[in-house]
Amino acid sequence: MAAVSIRNLAKRYDDNEVMRDINLDIEDGEFVVFVGPSGCGKSTLLRMIAGLEEISDGDLDIGTRRMNDVPASKRGVAMVFQSYALYPHMSLYDNMAFGLKIAGKSKAEIDAAVQHAAKILHIDHLLDRKPRALSGGQRQRVAIGRAITRQPSVFLFDEPLSNLDAALRVKMRLEFAKLHDELKTTMIYVTHDQIEAMTLADKIVVLSEGRIEQVGSPQQLYHHPANRFVAGFIGSPKMNFIDGSVAAIQAEGVQVQLPGGGLQWAAVDGSTLQAGQKVTLGVRPEHLNIAEGQAALQARCTALELLGDFSYLYAAYEGSEDALILRVPDSLDPPHGSLLHLAADPARCHLFGADGQALPRLASSGAAQRQH
Ligand code: ADP
Ligand code: MG
Protein backbone atom coordinates (compact mmCIF):
# COMPACT_ATOMS: atom_id res chain seq x y z
CA MET A 1 0.00 0.00 0.00
CA ALA A 2 1.19 3.48 -0.70
CA ALA A 3 0.24 7.12 -0.94
CA VAL A 4 0.63 8.96 -4.24
CA SER A 5 1.75 12.56 -4.47
CA ILE A 6 1.66 14.59 -7.66
CA ARG A 7 3.28 18.03 -7.88
CA ASN A 8 2.96 20.48 -10.78
CA LEU A 9 2.65 17.67 -13.27
CA ALA A 10 2.45 18.50 -16.97
CA LYS A 11 2.30 16.45 -20.14
CA ARG A 12 3.30 17.58 -23.61
CA TYR A 13 3.17 15.74 -26.88
CA ASP A 14 5.71 17.66 -28.96
CA ASP A 15 4.64 21.27 -28.41
CA ASN A 16 1.08 20.40 -27.52
CA GLU A 17 0.50 20.68 -23.76
CA VAL A 18 -2.36 18.31 -22.93
CA MET A 19 -2.05 18.40 -19.11
CA ARG A 20 -0.89 21.17 -16.81
CA ASP A 21 -0.71 22.25 -13.15
CA ILE A 22 -1.72 18.85 -11.82
CA ASN A 23 -1.38 18.79 -8.03
CA LEU A 24 -2.93 15.91 -6.16
CA ASP A 25 -2.46 13.95 -2.94
CA ILE A 26 -3.83 10.46 -2.75
CA GLU A 27 -3.74 8.88 0.67
CA ASP A 28 -2.62 5.38 1.41
CA GLY A 29 -5.61 3.08 0.97
CA GLU A 30 -7.83 5.67 -0.65
CA PHE A 31 -10.20 4.92 -3.54
CA VAL A 32 -9.79 7.84 -5.92
CA VAL A 33 -11.81 8.26 -9.10
CA PHE A 34 -10.81 10.44 -12.05
CA VAL A 35 -13.82 11.70 -14.01
CA GLY A 36 -14.25 14.13 -16.84
CA PRO A 37 -15.36 14.32 -20.45
CA SER A 38 -13.68 12.28 -23.14
CA GLY A 39 -10.24 13.67 -24.01
CA CYS A 40 -9.77 15.60 -20.74
CA GLY A 41 -6.65 13.62 -19.82
CA LYS A 42 -7.86 10.87 -17.47
CA SER A 43 -5.96 8.07 -19.20
CA THR A 44 -2.88 10.22 -19.75
CA LEU A 45 -2.67 11.02 -16.04
CA LEU A 46 -3.17 7.37 -15.08
CA ARG A 47 -0.56 6.24 -17.59
CA MET A 48 1.94 8.76 -16.22
CA ILE A 49 1.39 7.28 -12.75
CA ALA A 50 1.79 3.78 -14.21
CA GLY A 51 4.99 4.66 -16.01
CA LEU A 52 3.53 4.07 -19.47
CA GLU A 53 3.83 7.74 -20.43
CA GLU A 54 6.77 9.99 -19.81
CA ILE A 55 6.18 12.88 -17.40
CA SER A 56 7.06 16.15 -19.15
CA ASP A 57 7.27 18.25 -16.00
CA GLY A 58 6.70 17.99 -12.25
CA ASP A 59 7.09 15.22 -9.67
CA LEU A 60 5.40 11.91 -9.05
CA ASP A 61 6.01 10.14 -5.73
CA ILE A 62 4.60 6.76 -4.80
CA GLY A 63 5.19 6.05 -1.13
CA THR A 64 8.37 7.93 -0.32
CA ARG A 65 10.03 7.38 -3.68
CA ARG A 66 10.20 9.74 -6.63
CA MET A 67 9.01 7.68 -9.57
CA ASN A 68 9.47 9.93 -12.60
CA ASP A 69 12.36 7.89 -13.95
CA VAL A 70 11.49 4.49 -12.48
CA PRO A 71 10.33 1.94 -15.10
CA ALA A 72 6.71 0.78 -14.98
CA SER A 73 7.60 -2.71 -13.79
CA LYS A 74 9.44 -1.32 -10.76
CA ARG A 75 6.77 1.10 -9.53
CA GLY A 76 4.73 -1.43 -7.58
CA VAL A 77 1.58 -0.60 -9.52
CA ALA A 78 -0.76 -2.87 -11.48
CA MET A 79 -3.01 -1.55 -14.20
CA VAL A 80 -6.25 -2.95 -15.60
CA PHE A 81 -7.50 -1.64 -18.94
CA GLN A 82 -10.87 -1.45 -20.59
CA SER A 83 -9.88 -4.23 -22.99
CA TYR A 84 -8.97 -7.28 -20.97
CA ALA A 85 -5.85 -8.21 -22.96
CA LEU A 86 -5.85 -11.88 -21.92
CA TYR A 87 -3.77 -14.52 -23.68
CA PRO A 88 -6.38 -16.51 -25.62
CA HIS A 89 -4.41 -19.77 -25.74
CA MET A 90 -3.77 -19.85 -21.98
CA SER A 91 -6.07 -21.05 -19.23
CA LEU A 92 -7.28 -18.55 -16.67
CA TYR A 93 -4.82 -19.98 -14.22
CA ASP A 94 -1.91 -19.43 -16.61
CA ASN A 95 -3.17 -15.98 -17.53
CA MET A 96 -3.09 -14.97 -13.90
CA ALA A 97 0.18 -16.78 -13.20
CA PHE A 98 2.04 -15.40 -16.22
CA GLY A 99 3.43 -12.21 -14.67
CA LEU A 100 4.61 -14.06 -11.59
CA LYS A 101 6.34 -16.74 -13.69
CA ILE A 102 8.17 -14.03 -15.61
CA ALA A 103 9.16 -12.49 -12.30
CA GLY A 104 10.69 -15.83 -11.32
CA LYS A 105 8.42 -16.67 -8.40
CA SER A 106 8.28 -20.23 -7.10
CA LYS A 107 5.47 -22.61 -8.09
CA ALA A 108 4.11 -22.59 -4.54
CA GLU A 109 4.11 -18.79 -4.36
CA ILE A 110 2.40 -18.53 -7.72
CA ASP A 111 -0.24 -21.06 -6.79
CA ALA A 112 -1.03 -19.32 -3.51
CA ALA A 113 -1.34 -15.93 -5.25
CA VAL A 114 -3.54 -17.22 -8.08
CA GLN A 115 -5.85 -19.18 -5.76
CA HIS A 116 -6.17 -16.19 -3.45
CA ALA A 117 -7.07 -13.79 -6.28
CA ALA A 118 -9.45 -16.29 -7.87
CA LYS A 119 -11.28 -16.77 -4.59
CA ILE A 120 -11.71 -13.04 -4.02
CA LEU A 121 -13.16 -12.68 -7.52
CA HIS A 122 -15.30 -15.85 -7.44
CA ILE A 123 -13.62 -17.42 -10.44
CA ASP A 124 -11.85 -20.23 -8.57
CA HIS A 125 -14.09 -22.82 -10.29
CA LEU A 126 -13.11 -21.54 -13.75
CA LEU A 127 -9.33 -21.71 -13.58
CA ASP A 128 -8.96 -24.45 -16.23
CA ARG A 129 -10.99 -22.59 -18.82
CA LYS A 130 -9.71 -20.56 -21.73
CA PRO A 131 -10.80 -16.92 -22.00
CA ARG A 132 -13.11 -17.62 -24.97
CA ALA A 133 -15.27 -19.82 -22.72
CA LEU A 134 -16.00 -16.89 -20.41
CA SER A 135 -18.48 -14.03 -20.32
CA GLY A 136 -17.24 -10.43 -20.54
CA GLY A 137 -17.62 -9.98 -16.80
CA GLN A 138 -15.63 -13.12 -16.06
CA ARG A 139 -12.88 -12.05 -18.45
CA GLN A 140 -12.61 -8.69 -16.74
CA ARG A 141 -12.37 -10.52 -13.42
CA VAL A 142 -9.40 -12.47 -14.74
CA ALA A 143 -7.72 -9.21 -15.76
CA ILE A 144 -8.35 -7.86 -12.26
CA GLY A 145 -7.15 -11.16 -10.79
CA ARG A 146 -3.92 -10.87 -12.73
CA ALA A 147 -3.41 -7.44 -11.15
CA ILE A 148 -4.17 -8.76 -7.64
CA THR A 149 -1.59 -11.56 -7.92
CA ARG A 150 1.11 -8.94 -8.31
CA GLN A 151 0.24 -7.50 -4.88
CA PRO A 152 0.73 -3.93 -6.06
CA SER A 153 0.86 -1.01 -3.67
CA VAL A 154 -1.42 0.91 -6.04
CA PHE A 155 -4.08 -0.40 -8.43
CA LEU A 156 -4.81 1.60 -11.56
CA PHE A 157 -8.04 0.97 -13.45
CA ASP A 158 -8.81 2.65 -16.77
CA GLU A 159 -12.55 2.41 -17.49
CA PRO A 160 -12.56 -1.26 -16.56
CA LEU A 161 -16.32 -1.68 -16.93
CA SER A 162 -16.92 0.21 -20.17
CA ASN A 163 -17.09 -2.94 -22.31
CA LEU A 164 -19.75 -4.59 -20.17
CA ASP A 165 -23.51 -4.31 -20.52
CA ALA A 166 -25.44 -2.11 -18.11
CA ALA A 167 -26.63 -4.83 -15.71
CA LEU A 168 -23.18 -6.36 -15.42
CA ARG A 169 -21.63 -2.94 -14.87
CA VAL A 170 -23.84 -2.42 -11.84
CA LYS A 171 -22.87 -5.81 -10.45
CA MET A 172 -19.16 -5.31 -11.07
CA ARG A 173 -19.35 -1.84 -9.55
CA LEU A 174 -20.37 -3.44 -6.26
CA GLU A 175 -17.56 -5.95 -6.63
CA PHE A 176 -15.03 -3.15 -6.95
CA ALA A 177 -16.32 -1.65 -3.72
CA LYS A 178 -16.00 -5.04 -2.00
CA LEU A 179 -12.56 -5.59 -3.49
CA HIS A 180 -11.36 -2.31 -2.03
CA ASP A 181 -12.91 -3.15 1.34
CA GLU A 182 -11.09 -6.43 1.35
CA LEU A 183 -7.68 -5.42 0.01
CA LYS A 184 -7.60 -1.86 1.39
CA THR A 185 -5.00 -1.03 -1.26
CA THR A 186 -4.81 2.42 -2.83
CA MET A 187 -6.94 2.39 -5.98
CA ILE A 188 -7.13 4.94 -8.77
CA TYR A 189 -10.07 4.39 -11.05
CA VAL A 190 -10.84 6.22 -14.28
CA THR A 191 -14.38 6.43 -15.57
CA HIS A 192 -16.65 8.74 -17.49
CA ASP A 193 -19.62 7.17 -15.69
CA GLN A 194 -20.46 9.48 -12.84
CA ILE A 195 -22.60 6.92 -11.03
CA GLU A 196 -19.48 4.77 -10.77
CA ALA A 197 -17.58 7.81 -9.56
CA MET A 198 -20.20 8.77 -6.96
CA THR A 199 -20.65 5.25 -5.58
CA LEU A 200 -17.04 4.07 -5.51
CA ALA A 201 -14.95 7.08 -4.62
CA ASP A 202 -13.61 8.27 -1.31
CA LYS A 203 -12.38 11.17 -3.38
CA ILE A 204 -13.32 12.31 -6.88
CA VAL A 205 -10.98 14.28 -9.12
CA VAL A 206 -12.88 16.18 -11.80
CA LEU A 207 -10.77 16.93 -14.85
CA SER A 208 -11.44 19.17 -17.80
CA GLU A 209 -9.13 19.99 -20.70
CA GLY A 210 -6.02 18.73 -18.96
CA ARG A 211 -6.61 20.49 -15.64
CA ILE A 212 -8.09 19.54 -12.29
CA GLU A 213 -11.33 21.45 -11.76
CA GLN A 214 -12.05 20.19 -8.25
CA VAL A 215 -11.12 17.45 -5.81
CA GLY A 216 -13.56 16.34 -3.13
CA SER A 217 -15.77 13.64 -1.71
CA PRO A 218 -18.85 12.75 -3.77
CA GLN A 219 -20.99 14.67 -1.26
CA GLN A 220 -18.79 17.76 -1.42
CA LEU A 221 -18.90 17.81 -5.21
CA TYR A 222 -22.65 17.36 -5.29
CA HIS A 223 -23.45 19.94 -2.61
CA HIS A 224 -20.58 22.36 -3.10
CA PRO A 225 -19.36 22.34 -6.70
CA ALA A 226 -16.63 24.98 -6.99
CA ASN A 227 -17.65 26.17 -10.43
CA ARG A 228 -20.14 25.77 -13.25
CA PHE A 229 -18.19 23.03 -14.92
CA VAL A 230 -18.26 20.74 -11.88
CA ALA A 231 -21.85 21.72 -11.09
CA GLY A 232 -22.90 20.68 -14.58
CA PHE A 233 -20.78 17.56 -14.67
CA ILE A 234 -21.68 15.98 -11.31
CA GLY A 235 -25.37 15.08 -11.05
CA SER A 236 -27.70 13.45 -13.52
CA PRO A 237 -29.64 14.83 -15.28
CA LYS A 238 -27.44 17.86 -15.12
CA MET A 239 -28.06 21.00 -13.10
CA ASN A 240 -30.31 23.69 -14.62
CA PHE A 241 -28.54 27.00 -15.22
CA ILE A 242 -30.63 30.15 -15.46
CA ASP A 243 -29.01 33.52 -16.21
CA GLY A 244 -30.11 36.43 -14.07
CA SER A 245 -28.89 39.44 -12.16
CA VAL A 246 -28.43 40.35 -8.51
CA ALA A 247 -31.55 42.10 -7.15
CA ALA A 248 -30.64 42.24 -3.46
CA ILE A 249 -27.93 41.05 -1.08
CA GLN A 250 -28.61 40.16 2.55
CA ALA A 251 -26.91 38.18 5.27
CA GLU A 252 -29.08 35.15 4.54
CA GLY A 253 -28.54 35.14 0.81
CA VAL A 254 -28.77 36.74 -2.57
CA GLN A 255 -31.98 37.57 -4.38
CA VAL A 256 -31.73 36.94 -8.10
CA GLN A 257 -33.89 38.45 -10.78
CA LEU A 258 -34.66 35.82 -13.40
CA PRO A 259 -35.90 36.10 -17.00
CA GLY A 260 -39.50 37.31 -16.94
CA GLY A 261 -38.81 39.46 -13.86
CA GLY A 262 -39.47 36.84 -11.16
CA LEU A 263 -37.28 36.68 -8.05
CA GLN A 264 -35.52 33.74 -6.43
CA TRP A 265 -33.47 33.74 -3.22
CA ALA A 266 -30.30 31.68 -3.07
CA ALA A 267 -28.71 30.97 0.31
CA VAL A 268 -25.18 31.93 -0.67
CA ASP A 269 -22.60 34.39 0.60
CA GLY A 270 -23.09 37.44 -1.62
CA SER A 271 -20.56 39.69 0.09
CA THR A 272 -18.40 39.85 -3.04
CA LEU A 273 -21.34 40.75 -5.31
CA GLN A 274 -22.99 44.02 -6.22
CA ALA A 275 -26.61 44.73 -7.12
CA GLY A 276 -27.23 44.50 -10.84
CA GLN A 277 -24.30 42.16 -11.50
CA LYS A 278 -24.87 39.25 -13.85
CA VAL A 279 -25.02 35.85 -12.17
CA THR A 280 -26.21 32.37 -13.03
CA LEU A 281 -28.59 30.49 -10.79
CA GLY A 282 -28.06 26.73 -10.59
CA VAL A 283 -30.83 24.37 -9.51
CA ARG A 284 -30.71 20.60 -9.85
CA PRO A 285 -33.71 18.84 -11.47
CA GLU A 286 -34.51 17.23 -8.11
CA HIS A 287 -34.70 20.67 -6.44
CA LEU A 288 -36.69 22.70 -8.95
CA ASN A 289 -40.34 22.66 -7.93
CA ILE A 290 -43.72 23.55 -9.28
CA ALA A 291 -44.70 26.39 -6.96
CA GLU A 292 -48.00 26.80 -5.15
CA GLY A 293 -47.55 30.48 -4.45
CA GLN A 294 -45.38 33.09 -6.09
CA ALA A 295 -43.24 31.79 -8.95
CA ALA A 296 -39.63 32.72 -9.59
CA LEU A 297 -39.87 31.63 -13.19
CA GLN A 298 -42.65 30.73 -15.59
CA ALA A 299 -42.05 28.02 -18.12
CA ARG A 300 -44.03 25.88 -20.53
CA CYS A 301 -44.04 22.12 -20.40
CA THR A 302 -42.43 20.74 -23.56
CA ALA A 303 -42.06 17.04 -22.78
CA LEU A 304 -42.52 14.44 -20.08
CA GLU A 305 -40.50 11.25 -19.65
CA LEU A 306 -42.13 8.63 -17.45
CA LEU A 307 -39.58 6.60 -15.54
CA GLY A 308 -41.94 4.60 -13.34
CA ASP A 309 -41.74 6.03 -9.87
CA PHE A 310 -41.01 9.56 -11.10
CA SER A 311 -40.89 11.57 -14.31
CA TYR A 312 -38.59 14.08 -15.91
CA LEU A 313 -40.46 17.14 -17.03
CA TYR A 314 -38.90 19.38 -19.66
CA ALA A 315 -39.87 23.02 -19.76
CA ALA A 316 -38.86 26.08 -21.76
CA TYR A 317 -38.99 29.70 -20.69
CA GLU A 318 -39.04 32.98 -22.57
CA GLY A 319 -35.63 33.85 -23.95
CA SER A 320 -33.97 30.48 -23.57
CA GLU A 321 -33.77 27.53 -25.89
CA ASP A 322 -32.25 25.37 -23.20
CA ALA A 323 -34.97 23.27 -21.71
CA LEU A 324 -35.22 23.11 -17.95
CA ILE A 325 -35.48 19.67 -16.40
CA LEU A 326 -37.53 18.92 -13.29
CA ARG A 327 -37.79 15.64 -11.48
CA VAL A 328 -41.49 15.33 -10.58
CA PRO A 329 -43.73 12.67 -9.01
CA ASP A 330 -45.22 10.21 -11.49
CA SER A 331 -48.69 11.45 -10.52
CA LEU A 332 -47.94 14.78 -12.16
CA ASP A 333 -49.00 14.93 -15.78
CA PRO A 334 -49.31 18.50 -17.03
CA PRO A 335 -50.62 18.94 -20.59
CA HIS A 336 -48.10 19.78 -23.27
CA GLY A 337 -47.68 23.54 -23.54
CA SER A 338 -49.23 24.27 -20.15
CA LEU A 339 -47.75 27.12 -18.11
CA LEU A 340 -45.81 26.10 -15.01
CA HIS A 341 -44.86 28.30 -12.05
CA LEU A 342 -41.46 27.29 -10.82
CA ALA A 343 -39.46 28.03 -7.68
CA ALA A 344 -36.78 26.42 -5.53
CA ASP A 345 -35.86 26.23 -1.86
CA PRO A 346 -33.12 28.89 -1.39
CA ALA A 347 -31.06 26.34 0.55
CA ARG A 348 -30.99 24.14 -2.57
CA CYS A 349 -29.84 26.88 -4.94
CA HIS A 350 -26.36 27.43 -6.30
CA LEU A 351 -25.11 30.75 -7.63
CA PHE A 352 -22.25 31.41 -10.03
CA GLY A 353 -20.51 34.68 -10.80
CA ALA A 354 -19.75 35.85 -14.33
CA ASP A 355 -16.37 34.06 -14.07
CA GLY A 356 -18.17 30.73 -13.51
CA GLN A 357 -16.98 30.39 -9.91
CA ALA A 358 -19.53 29.33 -7.31
CA LEU A 359 -20.39 31.63 -4.43
CA PRO A 360 -20.01 29.88 -1.06
CA ARG A 361 -23.27 28.28 0.05
CA LEU A 362 -24.52 29.27 3.47
CA ALA A 363 -26.96 26.50 4.22
CA SER A 364 -25.67 23.09 3.43
CA SER A 365 -28.11 20.38 2.59
CA GLY A 366 -26.83 17.02 3.69
CA ALA A 367 -23.84 16.47 5.91
CA ALA A 368 -21.27 18.07 3.64
CA GLN A 369 -19.80 21.33 4.79
CA ARG A 370 -17.79 23.52 2.53
CA GLN A 371 -14.12 22.74 2.89
CA HIS A 372 -11.32 25.06 2.00
P1 ADP B 1 -9.35 10.67 -21.66
O1 ADP B 1 -8.76 9.40 -21.17
O2 ADP B 1 -9.78 11.60 -20.58
O3 ADP B 1 -10.46 10.47 -22.63
P2 ADP B 1 -6.73 11.04 -22.85
O4 ADP B 1 -5.88 11.06 -21.65
O5 ADP B 1 -6.77 9.80 -23.64
O6 ADP B 1 -8.22 11.49 -22.46
O7 ADP B 1 -6.27 12.23 -23.81
C1 ADP B 1 -6.00 13.53 -23.33
C2 ADP B 1 -5.49 14.40 -24.46
O8 ADP B 1 -4.21 13.97 -24.87
C3 ADP B 1 -6.37 14.35 -25.70
O9 ADP B 1 -6.46 15.64 -26.22
C4 ADP B 1 -5.61 13.42 -26.61
O10 ADP B 1 -5.87 13.76 -27.95
C5 ADP B 1 -4.18 13.71 -26.25
N1 ADP B 1 -3.32 12.52 -26.49
C6 ADP B 1 -3.40 11.33 -25.86
N2 ADP B 1 -2.45 10.48 -26.30
C7 ADP B 1 -1.74 11.15 -27.24
C8 ADP B 1 -0.61 10.84 -28.07
N3 ADP B 1 -0.01 9.64 -28.01
N4 ADP B 1 -0.16 11.80 -28.91
C9 ADP B 1 -0.74 13.02 -28.96
N5 ADP B 1 -1.79 13.39 -28.21
C10 ADP B 1 -2.30 12.48 -27.35
MG1 MG C 1 -9.25 7.39 -21.56
Side-chain angles (χ1 to χ4, degrees):
M1 305 220 283
V4 178
S5 153
I6 294 170
R7 288 286 158 264
N8 303 320
L9 210 70
K11 176 68 186 173
R12 286 181 293 273
Y13 290 106
D14 301 322
D15 287 343
N16 186 18
E17 192 173 56
V18 298
M19 304 214 73
R20 66 202 70 84
D21 303 331
I22 304 289
N23 285 285
L24 182 63
D25 283 303
I26 296 171
E27 283 168 41
D28 187 9
E30 221 172 7
F31 198 127
V32 173
V33 176
F34 295 169
V35 287
S38 184
C40 69
K42 303 180 294 295
S43 295
T44 303
L45 183 53
L46 202 68
R47 291 169 62 84
M48 284 195 282
I49 297 169
L52 302 173
E53 287 288 350
E54 208 175 305
I55 293 169
S56 309
D57 246 324
D59 299 299
L60 167 72
D61 291 8
I62 300 178
T64 53
R65 189 167 173 204
R66 187 174 189 268
M67 290 291 180
N68 289 52
D69 301 317
V70 176
S73 61
K74 298 268 162 39
R75 290 193 185 190
V77 303
M79 186 148 165
V80 176
F81 301 89
Q82 178 178 341
S83 60
Y84 325 119
L86 302 179
Y87 298 107
H89 58 286
M90 287 187 197
S91 69
L92 298 202
Y93 188 99
D94 289 335
N95 262 287
M96 288 204 275
F98 188 71
L100 300 180
K101 270 187 197 157
I102 298 287
K105 302 276 183 197
S106 75
K107 251 194 151 86
E109 271 178 298
I110 293 173
D111 193 56
V114 170
Q115 298 292 351
H116 175 67
K119 221 183 186 82
I120 290 175
L121 296 164
H122 313 292
I123 46 174
D124 38 341
H125 57 298
L126 300 171
L127 289 173
D128 294 334
R129 288 210 196 159
K130 298 273 170 63
R132 67 169 175 278
L134 298 177
S135 68
Q138 287 167 334
R139 276 180 215 170
Q140 190 54 296
R141 265 170 233 235
V142 179
I144 297 164
R146 193 169 44 186
I148 293 174
T149 60
R150 298 180 52 192
Q151 296 183 291
S153 51
V154 181
F155 282 97
L156 305 173
F157 300 107
D158 194 354
E159 309 215 21
L161 305 184
S162 298
N163 281 354
L164 307 179
D165 64 53
L168 198 53
R169 274 214 306 267
V170 173
K171 190 162 171 239
M172 288 294 287
R173 197 167 79 207
L174 284 167
E175 304 241 338
F176 268 100
K178 281 193 204 143
L179 188 68
H180 183 246
D181 267 357
E182 194 158 331
L183 298 177
K184 299 190 167 52
T185 309
T186 311
M187 294 188 175
I188 309 178
Y189 186 108
V190 166
T191 182
H192 61 259
D193 179 323
Q194 59 149 306
I195 310 267
E196 279 175 26
M198 294 298 278
T199 53
L200 287 172
D202 295 317
K203 188 150 91 185
I204 296 179
V205 179
V206 183
L207 291 155
S208 162
E209 296 180 3
R211 280 177 201 279
I212 294 180
E213 292 283 343
Q214 192 174 0
V215 179
S217 71
Q219 291 293 309
Q220 282 164 3
L221 296 192
Y222 178 84
H223 292 294
H224 300 284
N227 55 47
R228 255 185 87 151
F229 179 83
V230 176
F233 192 79
I234 299 287
S236 176
K238 92 192 236 309
M239 186 184 281
N240 295 295
F241 294 112
I242 307 161
D243 290 336
S245 59
V246 175
I249 302 160
Q250 287 183 9
E252 58 271 26
V254 176
Q255 193 184 39
V256 185
Q257 180 160 32
L258 298 178
L263 297 166
Q264 169 71 51
W265 282 98
V268 302
D269 176 356
S271 55
T272 57
L273 294 175
Q274 282 170 7
Q277 223 172 312
K278 287 201 184 317
V279 286
T280 301
L281 182 74
V283 188
R284 297 194 184 280
E286 52 273 37
H287 301 145
L288 187 56
N289 305 314
I290 295 181
E292 300 287 326
Q294 191 134 34
L297 187 66
Q298 299 204 328
R300 286 197 188 274
C301 173
T302 56
L304 195 70
E305 286 179 333
L306 302 170
L307 284 130
D309 196 31
F310 62 91
S311 305
Y312 287 126
L313 189 161
Y314 295 78
Y317 58 93
E318 197 73 33
S320 175
E321 290 164 23
D322 290 340
L324 297 171
I325 306 181
L326 288 75
R327 184 181 162 128
V328 298
D330 61 337
S331 55
L332 201 83
D333 190 9
H336 217 267
S338 60
L339 194 64
L340 307 167
H341 304 278
L342 307 179
D345 176 354
R348 295 293 199 175
C349 289
H350 302 253
L351 199 64
F352 305 92
D355 58 358
Q357 296 300 306
L359 291 145
R361 294 179 74 200
L362 298 172
S364 115
S365 21
Q369 294 297 321
R370 190 177 181 84
Q371 301 209 338
H372 286 286

